[in-house]
Amino acid sequence: MIPIQLTLEGLYSYQERQKINFENLTEAGLFGIFGSVGSGKSSILEAISFALYGETERLNARDKRTYNMMNLKSNKSLIEFDFINYESKKFRATREFKRNSKNFEDVKTPTVTFYEEINGNWIPLEHSSAEKIIGLSYANFKRTIIIPQGQFKEFLELGATERTNMMKEIFSLQRFDLQGNVSSLNAKNRSELDQLEGQLKGFEEVNEEQISTQKELLKIEQQKFDEVQKVFRETEEKHSKLKSLKDDFADLNTKKSDFEKLTQQKYEIDILETKTDIYDRVFRIFTPLISEKNKLSKEITEQEKNKVNQFKNLHETEAQFENNKNKLLAIQPKYEALNQSKIQENDLNFILQMLKFSEEIETLKERTKKGSEKVKEVEATQKLIQSKIEDLAKNAESLKPKKLDSSLLLNVGNWFSEKKRLVDNLQNQTEKIDLKKLEIVRVSDELKPFEINLETYKNSFKTQIETLENQKKTFAEKRNHLEVQQKLAHFANELHDGEPCPLCGALEHPNIVEFDDANSELNKIQKQIEQLEIRKEDIQKQSLEIEKILDRKNIFEEQLKSEEEILQKIQTHIKKHLESYSWKEFNSENQNDFEEKRQQSFTIEKQIDELNQKIGLEQKNLDKERENLDNYNKALEKFKLDEAKKAEQIKTNEANLKALQWIDYREKTIIDVEEIYIKLSQSNLETEQNYQQLIKEEKEISPKLAEQKTIVDQLEKRISELEKEISENKNSIENALTEQKFNDLEEIQTILEQEINVLDTRNKIQDFKVRFETLKNLILELEIKLKDFSFNEEEFLMVENQFKTFENDLKIANNSIVKISSEIERLEKEFKKKENLLLDLAKVQKRRENLAIMQNLFNGAGFVRYISSIYLRQLCDHANVRFHKMTRNQLSLQLNESNDFEIIDYLNEGRSRSVKTLSGGQSFQVSLSLALALAESVQTNAQSEKNFFFIDEGFGTQDLESVNVVFETLMNLQKENRIVGIISHVEELKEKIPVSLNITKDEERGSLIEVV
């Protein structure tokens, strides 16, 4: 991950919005963040962690995190972090949370959104998981990229299990954890094996012999089927002819019987046809006339009834019209005087306003009087405060000449502090050199018992070993010769006449060689060889031990030389520092005098600050009184202006009076005038409303009266027309009765009451005629067809019995063939399945053997632990490159058999000890070396072009020389395409780092960021 830009607002001590552009910092390769304690340096790293993961080191969710993280002067917090991930893609993480306006301590849950830059546009992501983007969990992010304050040694002191899990996540070692996969495959394979074995149990009787037997049986059954089928077809043809003849005779008898039934129904059908013709003729002629007669009778009854109702409504409307007319005549005089009454009403309204303005003017005069008195009091208070401020200022000015310059005190104080530090370093370094010399003497004493010449001892040991090797070679040749002689003696003793020689194969053995017993000689030579081996091992052990002692002596001598160089540098620094003293106000040899004067200056400065604070407080009081004075003056001016406006309004209203006089009402109360005004207003309103209502009613009644008169006239006209139409209808009915030769309407009603469905009845009659003629013709055709034939029932029954018997035999034979064919097909399919299952079974059994081997290999995640240990050892090797340099080859980091870190101490004969025994400075050095190695491995694994590493504090535990070594290590990282950021308050680092951020904390504005 490479940071690009960070924006902060309302977070911890960051009140105002601050923006950090990391691109200028990361280009330098090494940059720093510096500031005093509590300025907000570590808050920058917390902001990055919280923006990405929603987690911080200082606070968790139970600590009311959002409330405690928000600046107490802010109502909202914002973090916006732009960065590049290991895939060189640009992302943005934003988190924002706000304070509840009604409850100060209630801070809402942060809203979080992640974006990706695509073609210059920020596209929101569907998730907010930094782990997916960066590839690290929060725990491993703070161990490999950003290491928070106080967490630097966490990776070093992790337990073996936790460290293995960490390595598993960081380096994706879960791909080597195949135990679950193997177990899953094993279970699946075991299930397949059980299924295959279970399936094969159902195929035990399926074999090729059984299939051949069934095929022979099928041939026999096929021959039987062909014989039965031939006889069946002959019988079937004869049976078919007899059955057809039987059906024809039966059909003829049936049709004759049906024809007799139709002949009996023909008389009734003829009568029905006559009735239907009469009904149809009467319905078509008389139904329209009767319907018209009923319709006219009904309508004239309704019209006469309606006429009676309309006459009644007409009389009521005429009475209402007369009543409304009389009311209008009565209210007319009062309505004509309404205009004059409204003028009086308007004048009364003006007079009411004038009375109210008069009361308000009196109130304003009283408030103006009180305000003037308050202004005089505030002016007096102002003068007292001003006098007090002037006295305090004089006292502060009188103290300033007595105070020493703060920059002078700071520079001289720093000089004395540096002098003390250099003297302490000189003493410590001298003690270190003395200890190194003692170590060298002690190691040299260890060489004395060996009594060797350091320049020739190696050649001497080499010569001794070569001599021993030659002696051993001579004894070995003798031993081989004796062993051959012993073997030949054994063969000679085993030779017997008639038995073949194992060497030449001869059956006769005339001259057998005799050998002496060589066992005692062999044992003697073997002991001599073993003694030579022991002497050789002693020489090698002695040589190895001398080499170890000399290695330690060389290391101590190199360390002594390094320490002496450091001592010389410190002495040079002390000389230069003493020469740099240039202040005449103090004695460089008398620091106590300086401290006393500095304390006096601090006391005076504190008094001046207290006076300035009092002046500031009084100035705030003075500003407050001035503000009050301005408010009172503004209020007085407003009172006077309102008073003038209301007096002017009274004059304006008086000029607008038309019917009444102001002088008649000015002494009256507002309540009395309001009562007169309300009564007059209500009276005018009622008069106008009543008059308008009567006019409206008159306009509504007039057209209604005319309408009702028209309706009555139309009803009388329609009744007359209906009487004429009824007469015409009666004549039409009488003419129709005469023409159709009917006596009266009752006879017609009787016919129509039959309600014959003419269409259905005629269809029914037609269907009967068609069936009658069709059946008659079919009987004639069958009689002609059968006149030369006769049917014998006994012969037919005999043939039918034969047909059924042969048909049953054919069915049995066919079923037997089908059954045998199906069985053959089933057996062949089952045999094929059995072959496939046997092949599958062999594969599964072979896979079971392979999986058993893999199960033992990957059981208990042992393979993952093995791979993790390889990665850890590589980390140790990489970390030691820097750790050796930082410790001047005194210490080394290694991994023990339990995969725990431990220290090799070359100052103590290269023995190992726990990392917990390291000092604070040494812990920082080894943790830094290990963290750098881990960060490089992680980001190299991610295949990123550059990698980034951030350290928070830790440099305060280092002496000057160690700081220089650490700084040189960090500077070398630039050559390796590494980017390192550090947070510290160590001044030596600030001077060495070319690009940095300086954090300052302002009392009013909060933390401010400045690029240096």
Side-chain angles (χ1 to χ4, degrees):
M1 182 204 78
I2 306 297
I4 300 174
Q5 181 173 281
L6 175 66
T7 302
L8 300 175
E9 182 182 357
L11 188 77
Y12 288 126
S13 57
Y14 291 89
Q15 182 178 345
E16 298 179 0
R17 179 167 294 197
Q18 301 289 303
K19 186 174 289 186
I20 302 174
N21 185 357
F22 281 103
E23 291 181 338
N24 296 330
L25 301 175
T26 55
E27 284 177 4
L30 176 64
F31 66 91
I33 298 177
F34 298 97
S36 60
V37 176
S39 61
K41 303 186 298 298
S42 299
S43 297
I44 293 174
L45 299 193
E46 284 215 36
I48 294 174
S49 299
F50 189 65
L52 292 173
Y53 293 95
E55 296 286 347
T56 66
E57 280 304 297
R58 283 191 276 185
L59 299 168
N60 56 40
R62 296 189 301 274
D63 295 328
K64 297 177 65 177
R65 178 163 51 202
T66 51
Y67 168 76
N68 287 303
M69 288 180 70
M70 183 177 287
N71 185 278
L72 294 175
K73 294 181 180 179
S74 302
N75 290 322
K76 76 168 185 175
S77 296
L78 169 69
I79 309 172
E80 186 176 276
F81 180 52
D82 297 353
F83 62 96
I84 297 173
N85 78 334
Y86 64 91
E87 299 173 309
S88 297
K89 295 180 180 180
K90 188 182 286 187
F91 293 89
R92 171 175 290 173
T94 63
R95 287 187 190 264
E96 185 176 2
F97 44 101
K98 297 180 179 180
R99 196 185 301 279
N100 190 334
S101 58
K102 297 180 180 179
N103 184 359
F104 183 82
E105 295 186 0
D106 180 21
V107 178
K108 298 179 181 177
T109 303
T111 58
V112 53
T113 309
F114 278 68
Y115 302 86
E116 182 181 359
E117 187 184 55
I118 301 175
N119 299 326
N121 298 317
W122 289 107
I123 308 301
L125 301 180
E126 295 181 355
H127 68 85
S128 58
S129 173
E131 189 168 346
K132 292 181 181 179
I133 298 171
I134 298 175
L136 292 172
S137 67
Y138 172 63
N140 291 331
F141 177 80
K142 69 180 183 178
R143 293 168 182 157
T144 58
I145 294 182
I146 291 181
I147 302 184
Q149 193 174 37
Q151 299 294 318
F152 211 68
K153 297 193 296 180
E154 182 183 359
F155 176 60
L156 183 67
E157 297 177 353
L158 279 178
T161 302
E162 293 175 339
R163 193 181 297 111
T164 300
N165 292 334
M166 175 183 170
M167 302 297 287
K168 181 178 177 182
E169 177 187 330
I170 291 176
F171 296 106
S172 301
L173 301 185
Q174 60 271 14
R175 64 184 186 275
F176 299 110
D177 187 5
L178 303 177
Q179 180 185 1
N181 296 345
V182 172
S183 297
S184 176
L185 288 173
N186 204 7
K188 183 179 179 182
N189 191 75
R190 189 163 53 250
S191 176
E192 291 181 8
L193 183 63
D194 293 342
Q195 289 181 5
L196 289 172
E197 289 175 348
Q199 290 175 0
L200 283 170
K201 287 181 181 179
F203 294 94
E204 293 176 352
E205 297 179 358
V206 177
N207 50 58
E208 292 181 344
E209 183 180 354
Q210 190 178 13
I211 294 172
S212 299
T213 302
Q214 291 294 329
K215 286 182 178 180
E216 291 296 327
L217 184 61
L218 178 63
K219 290 180 182 179
I220 296 170
E221 292 297 325
Q222 185 66 45
Q223 291 176 357
K224 290 182 182 179
F225 176 80
D226 293 341
E227 293 173 0
V228 173
Q229 188 179 39
K230 181 179 180 182
V231 176
F232 171 75
R233 286 177 179 173
E234 293 174 355
T235 307
E236 182 183 27
E237 183 179 359
K238 185 175 180 181
H239 175 265
S240 177
K241 289 180 181 179
L242 290 174
K243 188 172 185 308
S244 176
L245 186 63
K246 177 184 178 182
D247 292 341
D248 287 342
F249 275 103
D251 189 32
L252 177 62
N253 294 330
T254 302
K255 283 180 170 51
K256 285 182 178 180
S257 175
D258 292 340
F259 185 74
E260 289 178 1
K261 294 178 181 177
L262 289 176
T263 303
Q264 295 173 1
Q265 295 175 7
K266 191 172 183 307
Y267 174 74
E268 296 176 358
I269 294 298
D270 291 340
I271 295 172
L272 179 62
E273 184 176 15
T274 303
K275 285 183 178 181
T276 302
D277 290 339
I278 294 170
Y279 178 83
D280 184 38
R281 177 165 53 85
V282 169
F283 183 83
R284 285 185 291 101
I285 295 172
F286 288 96
T287 298
L289 293 174
I290 293 171
S291 297
E292 180 69 16
K293 175 176 178 294
N294 295 334
K295 178 183 174 183
L296 292 172
S297 176
K298 181 179 180 182
E299 185 178 356
I300 195 169
T301 302
E302 291 176 353
Q303 293 293 349
E304 287 178 347
K305 184 177 180 182
N306 193 16
K307 177 181 175 183
V308 173
N309 293 332
Q310 291 299 331
F311 264 114
K312 183 178 179 182
N313 292 338
L314 178 60
H315 292 314
E316 291 177 354
T317 304
E318 287 175 344
Q320 189 177 359
F321 181 77
E322 286 297 325
N323 184 38
N324 188 72
K325 185 176 180 182
N326 294 333
K327 287 182 179 179
L328 272 174
L329 290 173
I331 202 173
Q332 188 68 33
K334 195 173 182 180
Y335 180 74
E336 290 173 354
L338 185 61
N339 287 335
Q340 185 63 28
S341 182
K342 281 188 174 182
I343 291 171
Q344 291 179 0
E345 180 186 344
N346 192 46
D347 284 356
L348 284 171
N349 187 33
F350 282 137
I351 289 169
L352 272 174
Q353 292 178 7
M354 292 159 72
L355 289 171
K356 290 178 181 178
F357 289 152
S358 297
E359 282 189 1
E360 291 173 358
I361 287 170
E362 292 300 323
T363 302
L364 288 171
K365 285 179 179 180
E366 183 65 26
R367 294 179 71 182
T368 301
K369 181 180 177 182
K370 292 180 180 179
S372 299
E373 294 173 354
K374 192 67 177 175
V375 166
K376 292 177 182 179
E377 291 177 7
V378 173
E379 288 174 346
T381 305
Q382 259 187 314
K383 291 178 181 179
L384 290 173
I385 294 172
Q386 185 66 42
S387 175
K388 194 173 181 180
I389 290 172
E390 291 173 357
D391 293 340
L392 291 170
K394 288 177 182 178
N395 293 335
E397 288 296 325
S398 65
L399 290 173
K400 285 182 179 178
K402 300 177 183 178
K403 184 176 75 73
L404 295 175
D405 183 40
S406 58
S407 61
L408 172 65
L409 293 173
L410 179 62
N411 292 331
V412 176
N414 289 339
W415 187 89
F416 277 114
S417 297
E418 181 66 12
K419 177 185 175 184
K420 184 178 182 303
R421 188 180 67 79
L422 290 172
V423 171
D424 291 342
N425 288 345
L426 179 64
Q427 184 179 353
N428 292 334
Q429 193 64 27
T430 304
E431 291 175 357
K432 285 184 181 179
I433 290 172
D434 293 339
L435 289 173
K436 294 298 176 189
K437 290 178 179 178
L438 289 174
E439 290 289 345
I440 292 171
V441 171
R442 187 176 61 80
V443 174
S444 299
D445 291 341
E446 292 178 8
L447 289 170
K448 290 179 180 179
F450 295 104
E451 297 178 352
I452 60 170
N453 186 337
L454 295 177
E455 295 179 357
T456 61
Y457 82 94
K458 289 185 179 179
N459 291 330
S460 176
F461 284 159
K462 184 177 179 182
T463 302
Q464 292 179 37
I465 290 173
E466 287 177 354
T467 302
L468 292 173
E469 286 289 343
N470 291 331
Q471 293 177 1
K472 179 181 174 183
K473 186 175 180 182
T474 302
F475 284 126
E477 289 175 355
K478 290 181 179 180
R479 183 184 61 185
N480 293 336
H481 178 73
L482 290 172
E483 285 177 349
V484 171
Q485 183 178 337
Q486 188 180 38
K487 203 71 174 174
L488 290 173
H490 174 72
F491 285 136
N493 293 329
E494 294 295 326
L495 289 176
H496 302 285
D497 290 336
E499 295 180 0
C501 176
L503 298 178
C504 62
L507 298 175
E508 296 179 357
H509 319 291
N511 297 310
I512 299 174
V513 180
E514 294 183 0
F515 296 95
D516 297 330
D517 185 13
N519 283 335
S520 60
E521 185 91 18
L522 275 173
N523 293 333
K524 182 179 178 181
I525 291 174
Q526 183 63 35
K527 288 179 180 179
Q528 289 174 338
I529 290 173
E530 290 174 355
Q531 288 174 356
L532 289 173
E533 283 290 339
I534 293 170
R535 289 178 61 190
K536 179 183 173 182
E537 288 179 3
D538 291 340
I539 292 171
Q540 288 175 339
K541 286 180 181 179
Q542 189 177 17
S543 175
L544 182 61
E545 190 172 353
I546 291 170
E547 287 289 341
K548 282 185 177 181
I549 295 170
L550 288 174
D551 286 342
R552 285 162 51 210
K553 183 181 178 183
N554 290 334
I555 290 173
F556 290 144
E557 287 174 348
E558 288 179 5
Q559 291 174 353
L560 176 61
K561 184 179 178 181
S562 176
E563 297 296 343
E564 287 175 342
E565 290 174 356
I566 293 170
L567 178 63
Q568 187 176 358
K569 289 180 181 179
I570 293 172
Q571 290 171 342
T572 303
H573 286 159
I574 291 174
K575 183 177 178 182
K576 289 181 179 179
H577 186 69
L578 292 173
E579 291 173 352
S580 67
Y581 189 84
S582 60
W583 299 280
K584 298 178 181 179
E585 294 87 346
F586 309 102
N587 185 357
S588 62
E589 300 299 328
N590 190 353
Q591 185 176 355
N592 293 332
D593 178 59
F594 164 73
E595 292 294 342
E596 184 179 348
K597 290 180 179 179
R598 181 165 65 171
Q599 190 61 41
Q600 290 174 358
S601 181
F602 286 161
T603 304
I604 293 170
E605 187 174 6
K606 184 177 180 182
Q607 292 173 355
I608 292 172
D609 289 341
E610 290 175 354
L611 289 172
N612 286 333
Q613 288 178 2
K614 291 179 180 179
I615 291 171
L617 183 61
E618 293 299 330
Q619 188 64 48
K620 288 182 180 179
N621 293 334
L622 181 60
D623 292 340
K624 184 176 180 182
E625 292 300 326
R626 285 174 179 170
E627 185 179 353
N628 291 337
L629 182 60
D630 290 340
N631 292 335
Y632 290 145
N633 286 329
K634 288 177 182 178
L636 286 174
E637 290 176 4
K638 187 176 183 301
F639 293 159
K640 291 176 182 179
L641 182 61
D642 289 347
E643 184 180 344
K645 285 181 179 180
K646 294 186 185 302
E648 184 63 30
Q649 190 64 45
I650 290 173
K651 291 180 181 179
T652 302
N653 284 4
E654 186 176 4
N656 289 329
L657 295 176
K658 295 179 179 180
L660 303 176
Q661 296 294 324
W662 166 237
I663 194 171
D664 297 334
Y665 292 91
R666 63 191 308 170
E667 300 300 331
K668 292 186 178 181
T669 64
I670 294 175
I671 296 174
D672 294 337
V673 176
E674 276 186 346
E675 185 177 353
I676 296 169
Y677 172 76
I678 291 170
K679 287 181 180 179
L680 181 59
S681 177
Q682 289 178 348
S683 175
N684 292 338
L685 181 62
E686 289 176 359
T687 300
E688 186 173 13
Q689 288 178 347
N690 291 337
Y691 183 80
Q692 294 296 336
Q693 182 64 28
L694 290 171
I695 292 296
K696 181 182 178 182
E697 290 177 357
E698 183 183 27
K699 290 179 180 180
E700 292 175 353
I701 293 171
S702 295
K704 185 177 179 181
L705 183 62
E707 181 185 358
Q708 286 180 350
K709 288 181 179 180
T710 303
I711 290 172
V712 170
D713 292 340
Q714 289 177 347
L715 284 172
E716 289 178 345
K717 184 178 179 181
R718 178 58 183 161
I719 290 170
S720 176
E721 291 174 353
L722 287 172
E723 288 175 348
K724 183 177 179 181
E725 289 176 4
I726 289 171
S727 177
E728 291 175 355
N729 176 260
K730 184 176 180 182
N731 292 333
S732 297
I733 291 172
E734 289 176 354
N735 292 334
L737 289 171
T738 303
E739 289 175 1
Q740 297 300 323
K741 299 178 181 179
F742 290 107
N743 297 323
D744 49 28
L745 275 177
E746 292 181 1
E747 188 176 354
I748 299 300
Q749 292 290 351
T750 302
I751 294 171
L752 292 175
E753 284 174 358
Q754 298 178 22
E755 295 183 355
I756 297 172
N757 189 327
V758 175
L759 181 61
D760 291 346
T761 304
R762 284 184 173 169
N763 288 337
K764 180 180 177 182
I765 293 168
Q766 184 64 28
D767 289 343
F768 177 81
K769 289 181 179 180
V770 169
R771 283 191 290 116
F772 184 83
E773 293 298 326
T774 300
L775 191 59
K776 182 178 177 182
N777 294 330
L778 288 173
I779 290 171
L780 182 62
E781 289 175 0
L782 282 171
E783 286 176 345
I784 294 170
K785 178 181 178 181
L786 298 173
K787 68 178 181 178
D788 296 328
F789 293 95
S790 61
F791 175 73
N792 188 331
E793 183 69 21
E794 293 180 357
E795 182 184 1
F796 173 75
L797 291 175
M798 182 185 68
V799 173
E800 186 173 35
N801 290 333
Q802 290 176 353
F803 172 76
K804 290 180 179 179
T805 300
F806 292 137
E807 183 180 35
N808 188 49
D809 293 344
L810 183 65
K811 185 176 180 180
I812 292 170
N814 183 64
N815 288 342
S816 179
I817 290 173
V818 170
K819 184 177 180 181
I820 295 170
S821 299
S822 298
E823 181 64 14
I824 292 170
E825 184 179 0
R826 184 189 71 81
L827 288 172
E828 288 177 344
K829 287 181 179 179
E830 294 296 308
F831 188 73
K832 184 67 176 177
K833 287 181 182 178
K834 183 177 181 180
E835 288 180 337
N836 293 334
L837 287 173
L838 288 170
L839 291 174
D840 292 341
L841 181 65
K843 292 178 183 178
V844 173
Q845 288 173 339
K846 182 64 176 175
R847 192 186 306 142
R848 179 179 61 183
E849 296 173 2
N850 295 334
L851 287 173
I853 297 171
M854 294 177 70
Q855 184 82 24
N856 293 331
L857 178 61
F858 297 113
N859 192 29
F863 193 57
V864 175
R865 287 196 296 273
Y866 170 70
I867 298 295
S868 175
S869 67
I870 293 174
Y871 275 87
L872 285 172
R873 280 177 169 70
Q874 290 175 351
L875 282 178
C876 280
D877 294 340
H878 293 156
N880 278 328
V881 174
R882 296 187 177 94
F883 188 44
H884 288 164
K885 187 173 181 181
M886 290 182 189
T887 60
R888 305 180 189 92
N889 294 319
Q890 295 176 1
L891 301 175
S892 180
L893 183 69
Q894 74 172 16
L895 204 69
N896 62 19
E897 296 177 355
S898 302
N899 277 352
D900 288 325
F901 289 120
E902 61 184 19
I903 296 297
I904 302 300
D905 191 347
Y906 295 110
L907 298 180
N908 292 288
E909 301 178 353
R911 292 188 176 92
S912 63
R913 57 189 172 95
S914 171
V915 294
K916 296 180 181 179
T917 63
L918 294 173
S919 66
Q922 291 171 332
S923 293
F924 172 75
Q925 291 171 346
V926 69
S927 297
L928 175 60
S929 302
L930 192 58
L932 287 171
L934 181 60
E936 289 169 3
S937 298
V938 169
Q939 302 190 52
T940 300
N941 190 53
Q943 298 180 347
S944 56
E945 295 179 359
K946 294 184 177 181
N947 56 48
F948 177 71
F949 186 68
F950 219 128
I951 309 168
D952 186 0
E953 293 298 349
F955 300 96
T957 61
Q958 305 295 296
D959 56 29
L960 178 60
E961 185 61 25
S962 297
V963 168
N964 291 332
V965 173
V966 171
F967 179 75
E968 184 181 349
T969 301
L970 297 178
M971 288 296 292
N972 288 332
L973 292 175
Q974 299 181 53
K975 302 174 184 177
E976 304 169 15
N977 214 15
R978 303 285 188 264
I979 300 168
V980 177
I982 63 174
I983 289 180
S984 181
H985 54 265
V986 176
E987 291 296 325
E988 288 81 356
L989 286 175
K990 186 175 181 181
E991 294 172 1
K992 294 175 182 293
I993 294 178
V995 181
S996 63
L997 299 177
N998 188 39
I999 313 296
T1000 58
K1001 188 172 182 181
D1002 186 89
E1003 292 183 2
E1004 296 295 330
R1005 301 173 60 190
S1007 294
L1008 303 175
I1009 299 173
E1010 177 187 7
V1011 179
V1012 180

